[in-house]
Amino acid sequence: MKSYLKACLFLSLSTLTLATRPWGMTALNVRGGGSGIQEKEVKDEKVKGPCTLILIRHGESEWNVSNKFTGWYDCPLSEKGISEVKQAGLLLNEAGIKPDIAHTSYLQRAIKTLQLVQEETGTMWIPTSKAWQLNERHYGGLTGMDKVETVEKHGAEQVLIWRRSYDIPPPPVLADSPFHPKNDPRYAHLEFPEEFTETLATTLDRVLPYFLNNIVPDLKRGKTVIVAAHGNSLRALVKHLDGVDEDTIVNLNIPTGIPLVYHLDENMNVIPSDNGIAPLRGEYLGNQEEVRARIEGVQNQTKK
Amino acid sequence: MTSITSKTSELPFANLLKACMAPAAEGPYTLVLIRHGESEWNVENKFTGWYDCPLSPKGVEEVIQAGKLLKEEGIKPDVAYTSLLQRAIKTLNHVQEETGTMWIPVTRAWQLNERHYGGLTGLDKVKTVEKHGEEQVLIWRRSYDIPPPPATADSPYHPANDPKYANLNFPEEFTETLKTTLDRVLPYYESKIVPDLKDGKVVVIAAHGNSLRALVKHLDGIDEETIPNLNIPTGVPLIYQLDGNMNVIPSEQAIAPLRGHYLGDQDEVRARIEGVANQTKK
């Protein structure tokens, strides 16, 4: 490889000796060598000032509209969800925030959210990683079921526990179910228990190591990182970032499609924002009244 | 504790090991090439190169259709490669959406960028003909290795002034030919893409007219005189089947000199191949 690059450099330098002539006259006969592009040596960058982490929950999905337990089911964004996240991109532009690196889940509603944000912010080219560890919490045997009907069947209290307990799992999904991840080729490289379900606790157990191993190193190099993910995978992150306790985190609503921006110091501690809506210390972009209204809105999905 | 575990560990230098070892799958292997859909600067008939213009609305429709064609054909990519330019990235996004493969690993590589048009970037093609003459412009567009005038260091079109390429060093005056494009495309293909094919993965590459010319020149053994004039229509999937030795298995529906085949209505494809030739005519 090095000798190839040296040859390119030699050829391009010898071409440049002809460059003093007007191009119109000699261009017909000038032949080029290599383009002369070389990779720079990577220097160790250490962050000095604050770095920026943007979290964004995917826009409204089709199963949000149908009011079904979604989890790992791979439904697309609704039309409204698409508009929401385009707006999110514009908000980032207005705030002058341009991501350098992106992370998202294996689920298309988050991936498309990220694509639309990248399109609006002119960052379609940035390195983007997709990670199952950022998936929504898997809803086990409740996947695909209507939320209101599930309340009618099991009672509001039980459903509330399954939805909003920190560590009480919903009934598992069975091995022969189409909603069991072992039956989905994208998870072919993973092993699952025969009966599978998740809680916010177990979701955090897979989100946090990914954040620490794959996202923090980029933040420490001063990169602006955007994470497009899901209600529960983002709950796991903000629980860690803001030290939110288990009883509070389960009821914390993160509205869809609104950028949530954190500034972190070189020790990865959150620098609290003046616009933080407690218990979060990051700030949502956009009209704050609307944001507060949207935070209230997510709670009402099991009411008729 | 999460109950999910990984089946295989991530070995360091995994790609290098794969390159040295025998292929995991015997073939035939499937490689899908697709040139990005019509872009806004195609519409404005400007030399584009590395300028990062978006797809036109028609281009978006083209590539949604391309995705549908792949789906009808039953082709589902396992990994994807594209350039750093949004017209190719967006092409790939739509193809992935239509084929239900949005989750597959995507690698974006400058080595798959369009050929850089040097100092011609941004100039109108017809006006450039009026200024320099048809013959000269034809040479710059369709010569194998005669470079257009370079972009100078202070030009907004010089890659040194674009944060996308912050990890690369460029000559002060920069331009490319099809030949120098091939010089960067082929090594990338051999080192990154071939190992995936040998693993039995269906690979889709969403790229550009000249970066794809480089690839098909290599795949189909096309000579230097023919390749600059070969038109690859925008937004039409071009499918190659390769044997265990990475040789192309010629398709019966191939349109010479290519041995891969385009999906879709073949008459329309032939008409589109002719169409690209007419951009410098008024």
Side-chain angles (χ1 to χ4, degrees):
Chain A
M1 181 56 87
K2 272 194 179 161
S3 54
Y4 154 77
L5 288 171
K6 279 183 187 166
C8 284
L9 196 55
F10 171 74
L11 286 168
S12 56
L13 283 172
S14 50
T15 307
L16 282 174
T17 59
L18 297 168
T20 50
R21 300 204 192 169
W23 283 94
M25 287 298 293
T26 59
L28 284 170
N29 300 318
V30 173
R31 294 181 183 269
S35 305
I37 307 168
Q38 295 182 0
E39 296 208 358
K40 286 181 187 169
E41 280 178 31
V42 176
K43 291 178 203 169
D44 233 357
E45 300 163 44
K46 289 201 172 154
V47 66
K48 286 177 184 171
C51 58
T52 304
L53 173 66
I54 306 146
L55 306 180
I56 178 163
R57 185 178 176 194
H58 64 79
E60 181 193 80
S61 77
E62 288 189 356
W63 274 25
N64 286 147
V65 176
S66 327
N67 212 21
K68 291 181 185 176
F69 288 107
T70 313
W72 287 27
Y73 178 72
D74 198 17
C75 64
L77 292 177
S78 66
E79 286 301 318
K80 181 178 166 197
I82 289 172
S83 299
E84 275 182 301
V85 301
K86 283 184 180 172
Q87 184 58 26
L90 294 174
L91 287 172
L92 283 166
N93 283 345
E94 280 168 30
I97 296 173
K98 215 160 171 105
D100 299 310
I101 292 182
H103 293 264
T104 187
S105 70
Y106 274 18
L107 302 170
Q108 61 168 313
R109 58 198 189 267
I111 298 168
K112 183 131 176 140
T113 292
L114 181 62
Q115 286 175 355
L116 291 165
V117 166
Q118 288 182 291
E119 202 167 338
E120 294 299 326
T121 54
T123 56
M124 292 179 78
W125 57 275
I126 63 176
T128 300
S129 301
K130 294 174 191 126
W132 66 269
Q133 295 91 326
L134 293 176
N135 273 14
E136 179 51 299
R137 159 262 194 97
H138 194 290
Y139 257 111
L142 298 185
T143 309
M145 293 174 61
D146 177 273
K147 290 175 187 174
V148 173
E149 283 171 15
T150 312
V151 164
E152 285 168 357
K153 186 174 175 186
H154 294 279
E157 195 189 338
Q158 174 69 84
V159 173
L160 199 65
I161 288 171
W162 285 331
R163 289 188 75 195
R164 296 291 178 259
S165 148
Y166 188 66
D167 55 6
I168 296 173
V173 68
L174 305 175
D176 57 354
S177 162
F179 301 130
H180 195 298
K182 66 200 283 285
N183 301 322
D184 186 329
R186 77 192 76 184
Y187 308 112
H189 62 297
L190 300 169
E191 299 268 18
F192 296 86
E194 285 288 295
E195 297 188 349
F196 181 64
T197 186
E198 289 194 305
T199 64
L200 180 46
T202 60
T203 303
L204 186 140
D205 286 342
R206 54 165 165 89
V207 168
L208 269 208
Y210 183 84
F211 174 72
L212 294 170
N213 295 327
N214 297 79
I215 297 176
V216 162
D218 288 330
L219 290 167
K220 284 190 165 170
R221 290 189 299 128
K223 301 292 181 190
T224 297
V225 178
I226 182 166
V227 178
H230 305 263
N232 284 294
S233 45
L234 293 180
R235 276 189 177 121
L237 275 178
V238 304
K239 179 181 190 303
H240 167 76
L241 289 168
D242 291 320
V244 184
D245 63 52
E246 290 177 14
D247 297 314
T248 311
I249 193 62
V250 292
N251 292 304
L252 180 76
N253 297 314
I254 299 176
T256 54
I258 303 183
L260 174 56
V261 181
Y262 282 85
H263 296 291
L264 304 161
D265 65 22
E266 59 266 27
N267 298 314
M268 294 293 107
N269 295 316
V270 171
I271 301 165
S273 162
D274 293 336
N275 295 329
I277 299 175
L280 301 185
R281 295 176 296 166
E283 66 165 306
Y284 286 104
L285 298 185
N287 179 292
Q288 298 297 297
E289 295 298 315
E290 276 178 38
V291 169
R292 286 176 195 270
R294 303 263 326 273
I295 289 172
E296 300 301 310
V298 180
Q299 284 171 312
N300 297 331
Q301 284 168 348
T302 44
K303 295 177 186 164
K304 289 188 194 173
Chain B
M1 277 284 292
T2 183
S3 53
I4 310 163
T5 53
S6 189
K7 280 180 185 168
T8 53
S9 56
E10 286 289 320
L11 292 173
F13 306 116
N15 271 342
L16 194 58
L17 284 173
K18 274 183 202 168
C20 300
M21 286 157 53
E26 291 201 352
Y29 311 121
T30 303
L31 174 64
V32 179
L33 306 181
I34 178 163
R35 184 179 176 192
H36 65 77
E38 181 194 81
S39 78
E40 287 190 356
W41 274 24
N42 285 147
V43 175
E44 297 174 32
N45 213 19
K46 291 181 183 174
F47 289 107
T48 313
W50 287 27
Y51 179 71
D52 199 16
C53 65
L55 293 177
S56 68
K58 181 180 167 197
V60 170
E61 287 304 316
E62 274 178 38
V63 301
I64 290 175
Q65 185 55 27
K68 291 188 192 315
L69 284 172
L70 280 167
K71 189 176 174 183
E72 278 168 25
E73 195 76 3
I75 296 174
K76 213 162 170 111
D78 298 309
V79 297
Y81 289 86
T82 186
S83 69
L84 292 190
L85 301 170
Q86 62 167 312
R87 57 200 189 266
I89 296 169
K90 189 145 168 109
T91 293
L92 181 61
N93 287 348
H94 282 292
V95 164
Q96 286 180 271
E97 198 166 341
E98 295 300 321
T99 53
T101 57
M102 290 180 78
W103 55 276
I104 65 175
V106 173
T107 306
R108 300 181 189 129
W110 66 268
Q111 293 92 327
L112 294 176
N113 273 14
E114 179 52 298
R115 157 262 192 93
H116 194 289
Y117 257 111
L120 297 185
T121 310
L123 299 185
D124 176 273
K125 288 175 188 173
V126 173
K127 287 183 186 161
T128 311
V129 164
E130 285 167 1
K131 186 173 173 185
H132 292 280
E134 200 167 334
E135 193 193 343
Q136 176 69 85
V137 173
L138 200 65
I139 286 171
W140 285 332
R141 288 189 76 194
R142 296 291 176 255
S143 147
Y144 186 64
D145 58 2
I146 295 174
T152 49
D154 56 352
S155 162
Y157 301 130
H158 193 295
N161 302 324
D162 187 333
K164 292 186 192 59
Y165 311 110
N167 63 323
L168 299 170
N169 279 319
F170 295 87
E172 284 281 298
E173 294 190 340
F174 182 66
T175 187
E176 289 194 303
T177 62
L178 177 46
K179 179 181 189 317
T180 61
T181 303
L182 185 140
D183 287 343
R184 55 165 164 90
V185 169
L186 273 205
Y188 186 82
Y189 170 75
E190 294 289 348
S191 62
K192 305 285 185 196
I193 296 173
V194 162
D196 279 335
L197 288 167
K198 286 185 171 174
D199 248 358
K201 295 182 180 149
V202 175
V203 178
V204 61
I205 303 176
H208 304 262
N210 284 293
S211 46
L212 292 180
R213 276 190 178 121
L215 275 176
V216 304
K217 178 182 190 300
H218 167 73
L219 289 168
D220 292 321
I222 300 174
D223 61 53
E224 292 178 12
E225 278 70 48
T226 311
I227 193 65
N229 295 302
L230 180 75
N231 296 315
I232 300 175
T234 56
V236 184
L238 174 56
I239 316 293
Y240 281 85
Q241 300 287 326
L242 304 159
D243 67 21
N245 297 316
M246 303 306 299
N247 294 318
V248 170
I249 302 165
S251 163
E252 284 162 13
Q253 295 157 273
I255 299 173
L258 302 184
R259 294 177 298 167
H261 75 277
Y262 288 103
L263 297 185
D265 180 287
Q266 296 298 297
D267 288 329
E268 274 178 41
V269 169
R270 285 176 195 272
R272 303 246 350 261
I273 289 172
E274 298 302 309
V276 180
N278 296 332
Q279 282 169 350
T280 44
K281 296 180 184 160
K282 291 187 196 179

